[in-house]
Short mmCIF file of all heavy atoms in Angstrom, two decimals:
data_model
loop_
_atom_site.label_atom_id
_atom_site.label_comp_id
_atom_site.label_asym_id
_atom_site.label_seq_id
_atom_site.Cartn_x
_atom_site.Cartn_y
_atom_site.Cartn_z
N ALA A 191 -44.96 -9.06 14.73
CA ALA A 191 -43.83 -8.69 15.58
C ALA A 191 -43.26 -7.33 15.15
O ALA A 191 -42.89 -6.51 15.99
CB ALA A 191 -42.74 -9.76 15.51
N ARG A 192 -43.21 -7.09 13.86
CA ARG A 192 -42.68 -5.82 13.38
C ARG A 192 -43.59 -4.66 13.83
O ARG A 192 -43.11 -3.61 14.25
CB ARG A 192 -42.56 -5.84 11.86
CG ARG A 192 -41.79 -4.63 11.32
CD ARG A 192 -41.83 -4.55 9.81
NE ARG A 192 -41.38 -5.78 9.21
CZ ARG A 192 -42.02 -6.42 8.21
NH1 ARG A 192 -43.12 -5.92 7.71
NH2 ARG A 192 -41.54 -7.54 7.74
N LYS A 193 -44.89 -4.90 13.77
CA LYS A 193 -45.82 -3.83 14.19
C LYS A 193 -45.71 -3.57 15.69
O LYS A 193 -45.81 -2.42 16.15
CB LYS A 193 -47.26 -4.23 13.83
CG LYS A 193 -47.59 -4.04 12.36
CD LYS A 193 -49.11 -3.99 12.17
CE LYS A 193 -49.46 -3.58 10.74
NZ LYS A 193 -50.94 -3.52 10.56
N ILE A 194 -45.54 -4.62 16.47
CA ILE A 194 -45.39 -4.44 17.92
C ILE A 194 -44.07 -3.73 18.22
O ILE A 194 -44.00 -2.84 19.07
CB ILE A 194 -45.46 -5.81 18.65
CG1 ILE A 194 -46.85 -6.42 18.46
CG2 ILE A 194 -45.17 -5.64 20.15
CD1 ILE A 194 -46.97 -7.87 18.94
N HIS A 195 -43.04 -4.11 17.50
CA HIS A 195 -41.75 -3.42 17.58
C HIS A 195 -41.96 -1.91 17.38
O HIS A 195 -41.42 -1.08 18.12
CB HIS A 195 -40.83 -4.00 16.51
CG HIS A 195 -39.47 -3.41 16.46
ND1 HIS A 195 -38.43 -3.85 17.22
CD2 HIS A 195 -38.98 -2.38 15.71
CE1 HIS A 195 -37.35 -3.14 16.96
NE2 HIS A 195 -37.65 -2.25 16.04
N ASP A 196 -42.77 -1.55 16.40
CA ASP A 196 -43.03 -0.12 16.13
C ASP A 196 -43.80 0.55 17.26
O ASP A 196 -43.82 1.78 17.35
CB ASP A 196 -43.81 0.04 14.82
CG ASP A 196 -42.96 -0.30 13.59
OD1 ASP A 196 -41.72 -0.35 13.74
OD2 ASP A 196 -43.52 -0.54 12.52
N MET A 197 -44.46 -0.23 18.09
CA MET A 197 -45.19 0.33 19.24
C MET A 197 -44.26 0.69 20.39
O MET A 197 -44.69 1.32 21.36
CB MET A 197 -46.24 -0.67 19.75
CG MET A 197 -47.36 -0.97 18.77
SD MET A 197 -48.43 -2.30 19.40
CE MET A 197 -49.51 -2.55 17.96
N GLY A 198 -43.02 0.21 20.35
CA GLY A 198 -42.08 0.52 21.41
C GLY A 198 -41.03 -0.53 21.70
O GLY A 198 -39.84 -0.23 21.69
N PRO A 199 -41.44 -1.77 21.99
CA PRO A 199 -40.46 -2.77 22.44
C PRO A 199 -39.42 -3.11 21.36
O PRO A 199 -39.78 -3.41 20.22
CB PRO A 199 -41.32 -4.00 22.75
CG PRO A 199 -42.70 -3.46 22.94
CD PRO A 199 -42.82 -2.28 22.03
N LYS A 200 -38.17 -3.09 21.77
CA LYS A 200 -37.09 -3.47 20.83
C LYS A 200 -37.06 -4.99 20.62
O LYS A 200 -36.52 -5.45 19.63
CB LYS A 200 -35.74 -3.00 21.38
CG LYS A 200 -35.58 -1.48 21.41
CD LYS A 200 -34.18 -1.06 21.83
CE LYS A 200 -33.93 -1.29 23.33
NZ LYS A 200 -34.72 -0.38 24.21
N TYR A 201 -37.57 -5.69 21.60
CA TYR A 201 -37.58 -7.16 21.54
C TYR A 201 -39.01 -7.64 21.72
O TYR A 201 -39.72 -7.17 22.63
CB TYR A 201 -36.70 -7.76 22.64
CG TYR A 201 -35.26 -7.29 22.55
CD1 TYR A 201 -34.85 -6.16 23.24
CD2 TYR A 201 -34.34 -7.98 21.77
CE1 TYR A 201 -33.53 -5.71 23.16
CE2 TYR A 201 -33.03 -7.55 21.68
CZ TYR A 201 -32.63 -6.42 22.38
OH TYR A 201 -31.33 -5.98 22.28
N VAL A 202 -39.42 -8.57 20.89
CA VAL A 202 -40.78 -9.11 20.95
C VAL A 202 -40.67 -10.63 21.08
O VAL A 202 -40.09 -11.28 20.22
CB VAL A 202 -41.59 -8.73 19.69
CG1 VAL A 202 -42.98 -9.34 19.75
CG2 VAL A 202 -41.67 -7.20 19.54
N VAL A 203 -41.22 -11.15 22.17
CA VAL A 203 -41.26 -12.60 22.36
C VAL A 203 -42.69 -13.06 22.13
O VAL A 203 -43.61 -12.60 22.81
CB VAL A 203 -40.81 -13.01 23.78
CG1 VAL A 203 -40.97 -14.53 23.96
CG2 VAL A 203 -39.38 -12.59 24.04
N ILE A 204 -42.88 -13.94 21.15
CA ILE A 204 -44.21 -14.49 20.89
C ILE A 204 -44.21 -15.95 21.34
O ILE A 204 -43.44 -16.78 20.85
CB ILE A 204 -44.60 -14.35 19.41
CG1 ILE A 204 -44.66 -12.85 19.05
CG2 ILE A 204 -45.95 -15.02 19.15
CD1 ILE A 204 -45.12 -12.57 17.63
N LYS A 205 -45.09 -16.22 22.31
CA LYS A 205 -45.19 -17.55 22.90
C LYS A 205 -46.23 -18.37 22.14
O LYS A 205 -47.34 -17.90 21.93
CB LYS A 205 -45.59 -17.45 24.38
CG LYS A 205 -44.59 -16.70 25.24
CD LYS A 205 -45.12 -16.46 26.66
CE LYS A 205 -46.23 -15.42 26.66
NZ LYS A 205 -46.73 -15.10 28.02
N LYS A 206 -45.86 -19.59 21.74
CA LYS A 206 -46.77 -20.43 20.97
C LYS A 206 -47.10 -21.73 21.69
O LYS A 206 -47.43 -22.73 21.05
CB LYS A 206 -46.15 -20.74 19.60
CG LYS A 206 -45.75 -19.46 18.82
CD LYS A 206 -45.67 -19.70 17.32
CE LYS A 206 -44.65 -20.74 16.95
NZ LYS A 206 -44.73 -21.10 15.52
N GLY A 207 -47.02 -21.72 23.03
CA GLY A 207 -47.39 -22.91 23.79
C GLY A 207 -46.55 -24.11 23.40
O GLY A 207 -45.32 -24.03 23.39
N GLU A 208 -47.22 -25.21 23.05
CA GLU A 208 -46.50 -26.45 22.72
C GLU A 208 -45.61 -26.29 21.48
O GLU A 208 -44.78 -27.16 21.20
CB GLU A 208 -47.48 -27.60 22.49
CG GLU A 208 -48.39 -27.36 21.31
CD GLU A 208 -49.14 -28.61 20.85
OE1 GLU A 208 -48.58 -29.71 20.88
OE2 GLU A 208 -50.31 -28.47 20.44
N HIS A 209 -45.79 -25.20 20.73
CA HIS A 209 -44.97 -24.98 19.53
C HIS A 209 -43.76 -24.09 19.80
O HIS A 209 -43.07 -23.69 18.88
CB HIS A 209 -45.82 -24.40 18.40
CG HIS A 209 -47.02 -25.21 18.05
ND1 HIS A 209 -46.91 -26.53 17.67
CD2 HIS A 209 -48.34 -24.92 18.07
CE1 HIS A 209 -48.13 -27.00 17.45
NE2 HIS A 209 -49.01 -26.05 17.69
N GLY A 210 -43.54 -23.72 21.07
CA GLY A 210 -42.33 -22.98 21.40
C GLY A 210 -42.52 -21.47 21.45
O GLY A 210 -43.65 -20.98 21.61
N ALA A 211 -41.43 -20.76 21.32
CA ALA A 211 -41.45 -19.30 21.43
C ALA A 211 -40.50 -18.67 20.42
O ALA A 211 -39.44 -19.23 20.11
CB ALA A 211 -41.05 -18.89 22.85
N LEU A 212 -40.89 -17.52 19.91
CA LEU A 212 -40.09 -16.77 18.95
C LEU A 212 -39.61 -15.48 19.58
O LEU A 212 -40.38 -14.79 20.25
CB LEU A 212 -40.95 -16.42 17.72
CG LEU A 212 -41.35 -17.58 16.81
CD1 LEU A 212 -42.57 -17.20 15.97
CD2 LEU A 212 -40.19 -17.94 15.90
N LEU A 213 -38.35 -15.15 19.36
CA LEU A 213 -37.79 -13.88 19.81
C LEU A 213 -37.43 -13.05 18.58
O LEU A 213 -36.62 -13.49 17.75
CB LEU A 213 -36.53 -14.13 20.64
CG LEU A 213 -35.64 -12.92 20.96
CD1 LEU A 213 -36.37 -11.93 21.88
CD2 LEU A 213 -34.32 -13.37 21.59
N PHE A 214 -38.04 -11.87 18.45
CA PHE A 214 -37.77 -10.98 17.32
C PHE A 214 -37.00 -9.75 17.79
O PHE A 214 -37.29 -9.19 18.85
CB PHE A 214 -39.09 -10.51 16.69
CG PHE A 214 -39.89 -11.57 16.01
CD1 PHE A 214 -40.86 -12.28 16.71
CD2 PHE A 214 -39.69 -11.87 14.67
CE1 PHE A 214 -41.62 -13.27 16.08
CE2 PHE A 214 -40.45 -12.85 14.03
CZ PHE A 214 -41.40 -13.55 14.74
N HIS A 215 -36.03 -9.33 16.98
CA HIS A 215 -35.29 -8.09 17.27
C HIS A 215 -34.84 -7.53 15.92
O HIS A 215 -34.04 -8.15 15.23
CB HIS A 215 -34.09 -8.39 18.16
CG HIS A 215 -33.21 -7.21 18.38
ND1 HIS A 215 -33.67 -6.02 18.90
CD2 HIS A 215 -31.88 -7.03 18.15
CE1 HIS A 215 -32.66 -5.16 18.99
NE2 HIS A 215 -31.57 -5.75 18.54
N ASN A 216 -35.35 -6.37 15.58
CA ASN A 216 -35.10 -5.82 14.24
C ASN A 216 -35.39 -6.91 13.20
O ASN A 216 -36.48 -7.44 13.18
CB ASN A 216 -33.67 -5.28 14.13
CG ASN A 216 -33.47 -4.10 15.09
OD1 ASN A 216 -34.41 -3.36 15.37
ND2 ASN A 216 -32.26 -3.94 15.58
N ASP A 217 -34.41 -7.23 12.36
CA ASP A 217 -34.68 -8.24 11.33
C ASP A 217 -34.25 -9.64 11.75
O ASP A 217 -34.26 -10.56 10.94
CB ASP A 217 -33.97 -7.85 10.02
CG ASP A 217 -34.62 -6.63 9.40
OD1 ASP A 217 -35.83 -6.43 9.62
OD2 ASP A 217 -33.91 -5.87 8.71
N SER A 218 -33.84 -9.78 13.01
CA SER A 218 -33.39 -11.09 13.47
C SER A 218 -34.51 -11.82 14.18
O SER A 218 -35.38 -11.20 14.79
CB SER A 218 -32.21 -10.93 14.44
OG SER A 218 -31.12 -10.32 13.78
#
Side-chain angles (χ1 to χ4, degrees):
Chain A
R192 190 188 306 133
K193 283 199 171 181
I194 296 171
H195 180 87
D196 290 343
M197 295 174 186
K200 292 186 287 291
Y201 302 90
V202 178
V203 176
I204 298 183
K205 298 172 288 183
K206 305 203 299 171
E208 63 166 323
H209 304 303
L212 290 159
L213 168 66
F214 293 91
H215 174 56
N216 296 329
D217 290 332
S218 298

